[in-house]
Amino acid sequence: MANTERKVGTVSRGIRCPIIREGDDLAAIVTQSVLEAAQSEGFELRDRDVISITESIVARAQGNYASVEDIAQDVRAKLGGKTVGVIFPILSRNRFAICLKGIAMGAEKVVLMLSYPSDEVGNELVSLDKIDEAGVNPYSDVLTLEQYRQYFGVNKHEFTGVDYVDYYSEVVRECGAEVEIIFANQPKAILDYADCIINCDIHTRARTKRILKAAGAKVVCGLDDILNAPVNGSGCNEKYGLLGSNKSTEDKIKLFPRECQDLVLDIQSRILKETGKHVEVMVYGDGAFKDPKGKIWELADPVVSPAHTDGLIGTPNELKLKYLADNDFKELSGEELKKAISESIRAKKDDLVGNMASQGTTPRQLTDLIGSLCDLTSGSGDKGTPVVLVQGYFDNYTN
């Protein structure tokens, strides 16, 4: 029988699962769901397929929840319960408003410092055009709420229709705390208003803490330092604290999953036992990509993947087919061209850094690339597919 060439490359499938509750055996459920999907749809698992599980169901199975009162108690204990400067939060009802509620319950006054013209992940407070018209320098100018309104008026979020300046003010007041809002991009600006600070930025948090401590702040906590241990028996996240948390109810949050390396290894082992195939497994949260219309960078979680098997460590090592076709083999066509390119791929080195034929390939972490694919596949709404099976990701033109 002639050797048949595979005609399909990467395939991403959303896998339907039952609704996950606290205490469920997630490894067993995920394994069973993937095997049932394969049987139902008539496909087979292969070595190096990737099974990805959304962080939400991992945290849910772990029961990793906390109340706003738990947050408040931790804030009071760590920052003194008087005036707290809260700087660089993202503008999100789901991601931050519930955390702000807990912080405000643990303080007498909140000085909220918002970055402008947008937050860290691209949610706009005000357009760059309005900044230009006002002659404001966002790198150096510190604006009061009155100045912000005078220059820019009311600005509602393009997608949610929320004026976050008003909304966050109201969240704090409803918790019985006084609120003052300023707008600035230099971390040190907050020290004119408060010396006990919670910096809420995600990916720049280490630098912000360093700057504030060097400038003489009395206490500096990142969101990753709040609920990094249980309070009143609550959930927590030892590594990321409140980072990566989501609103669960009006007074409860679901935290980012706790240690879950055992989970991915367990699923990998179960699949090997059931099918004889060595798959890779990862837990994923937000993808790492930017929306060109809303200008929002998706990654509000501290990392795309908090746990993954070893086969997903590293970055792709790929050659650009069109570069080879247009340069090295521009005189060839048809079967000769295919054969020459295939031989180049088979002969490629393990490290292509600096090789012209690899320029334009994506030098991102495998977990970030695959996690982004999975986030787009599973969506954030009602698709009901919290597990994604990716097949053929590690194939190339020669397979």
Side-chain angles (χ1 to χ4, degrees):
M1 182 177 166
N3 182 29
T4 56
E5 179 186 354
R6 282 233 302 272
K7 294 294 183 182
V8 175
T10 302
V11 175
S12 174
R13 286 185 175 91
I15 306 294
R16 293 239 169 112
C17 291
I19 302 297
I20 303 300
R21 294 293 187 196
E22 180 175 350
D24 283 350
D25 184 345
L26 195 55
I29 291 170
V30 170
T31 301
Q32 182 181 359
S33 297
V34 170
L35 294 176
E36 286 177 354
Q39 186 176 11
S40 167
E41 295 295 310
F43 63 85
E44 291 183 0
L45 292 180
R46 304 190 195 111
D47 289 328
R48 297 217 78 190
D49 284 355
V50 183
I51 297 172
S52 302
I53 308 114
T54 183
E55 59 82 21
S56 175
I57 63 169
V58 179
R60 225 183 299 158
Q62 292 177 342
N64 203 18
Y65 293 89
S67 71
V68 289
E69 181 49 53
D70 297 329
I71 298 172
Q73 187 170 322
D74 210 23
V75 168
R76 276 192 294 270
K78 288 172 177 169
L79 290 109
K82 301 292 185 182
T83 298
V84 177
V86 177
I87 76 170
F88 302 155
I90 64 171
L91 307 176
S92 171
R93 294 168 298 176
N94 173 42
R95 289 288 193 168
F96 186 71
I98 192 86
C99 296
L100 180 60
K101 189 174 181 179
I103 292 167
M105 287 168 62
E108 291 178 3
K109 178 178 180 179
V110 171
V111 182
L112 189 61
M113 188 171 100
L114 302 175
S115 55
Y116 73 102
S118 64
D119 71 8
E120 178 184 8
V121 295
N123 292 293
E124 250 185 23
L125 264 182
V126 56
S127 71
L128 279 169
D129 291 328
K130 284 189 176 181
I131 294 274
D132 294 340
E133 284 170 28
V136 169
N137 182 349
Y139 298 104
S140 59
D141 292 350
V142 180
L143 306 179
T144 63
L145 178 57
E146 292 69 30
Q147 288 172 314
Y148 170 83
R149 292 296 189 204
Q150 180 188 337
Y151 286 134
F152 310 123
V154 172
N155 297 277
K156 293 186 176 179
H157 191 282
E158 180 180 7
F159 291 156
T160 64
V162 172
D163 175 355
Y164 277 96
V165 177
D166 265 354
Y167 176 54
Y168 280 178
S169 299
E170 197 55 36
V171 167
V172 175
R173 286 195 196 98
E174 283 178 357
C175 295
E178 188 185 343
V179 63
E180 181 175 1
I181 295 191
I182 60 171
F183 304 81
N185 290 306
Q186 298 292 343
K188 288 187 287 189
I190 192 64
L191 297 179
D192 290 335
Y193 301 82
D195 60 2
C196 294
I197 315 299
I198 301 176
N199 65 293
C200 305
D201 45 338
I202 306 159
H203 308 290
T204 52
R205 63 188 183 274
R207 174 178 181 265
T208 301
K209 287 181 196 178
R210 172 174 57 76
I211 289 170
L212 289 171
K213 287 174 181 175
K218 181 178 168 187
V219 182
V220 182
C221 287
L223 280 184
D224 53 334
D225 299 310
I226 307 297
L227 281 191
N228 57 0
V231 173
N232 300 320
S234 73
C236 69
N237 191 297
E238 293 84 353
K239 191 172 183 182
Y240 297 119
L242 288 177
L243 291 177
S245 63
N246 293 84
K247 180 178 182 177
S248 174
T249 69
E250 291 306 318
D251 59 3
K252 193 165 77 167
I253 60 165
K254 177 195 68 59
L255 292 143
F256 208 49
R258 299 174 79 169
E259 179 57 48
C260 46
Q261 189 65 26
D262 287 350
L263 172 69
V264 298
L265 293 172
D266 190 3
I267 294 169
Q268 184 181 55
S269 171
R270 286 170 186 254
I271 293 289
L272 183 63
K273 185 178 177 184
E274 292 285 340
T275 67
K277 301 299 180 184
H278 181 89
V279 300
E280 304 297 344
V281 185
M282 64 182 278
V283 176
Y284 72 96
D286 283 336
F289 49 83
K290 187 168 180 173
D291 168 46
K293 185 175 190 303
K295 306 177 187 69
I296 298 166
W297 184 41
E298 178 73 7
L299 189 58
D301 286 328
V303 289
V304 172
S305 177
H308 48 83
T309 51
D310 287 352
L312 298 176
I313 294 170
T315 58
N317 192 54
E318 299 172 337
L319 294 171
K320 199 83 167 176
L321 294 192
K322 65 184 180 185
Y323 182 90
L324 293 172
D326 291 348
N327 290 273
D328 297 36
F329 307 120
K330 62 185 179 210
E331 309 300 332
L332 303 179
S333 62
E335 199 58 38
E336 275 188 312
L337 176 59
K338 181 178 176 181
K339 184 179 177 185
I341 286 179
S342 296
E343 285 173 359
S344 292
I345 292 170
R346 289 190 193 99
K348 70 183 177 183
K349 297 176 182 175
D350 288 339
D351 184 359
L352 294 172
V353 172
N355 185 316
M356 288 297 284
S358 70
Q359 66 181 337
T361 60
T362 311
R364 288 166 58 191
Q365 297 293 319
L366 288 166
T367 48
D368 295 343
L369 290 163
I370 298 169
S372 298
L373 171 63
C374 294
D375 190 24
L376 289 166
T377 302
S378 61
S380 55
D382 57 8
K383 285 186 168 59
T385 56
V387 173
V388 176
L389 175 67
V390 178
Q391 296 191 290
Y393 192 85
F394 296 99
D395 287 0
N396 62 41
Y397 189 59
T398 67
N399 293 111

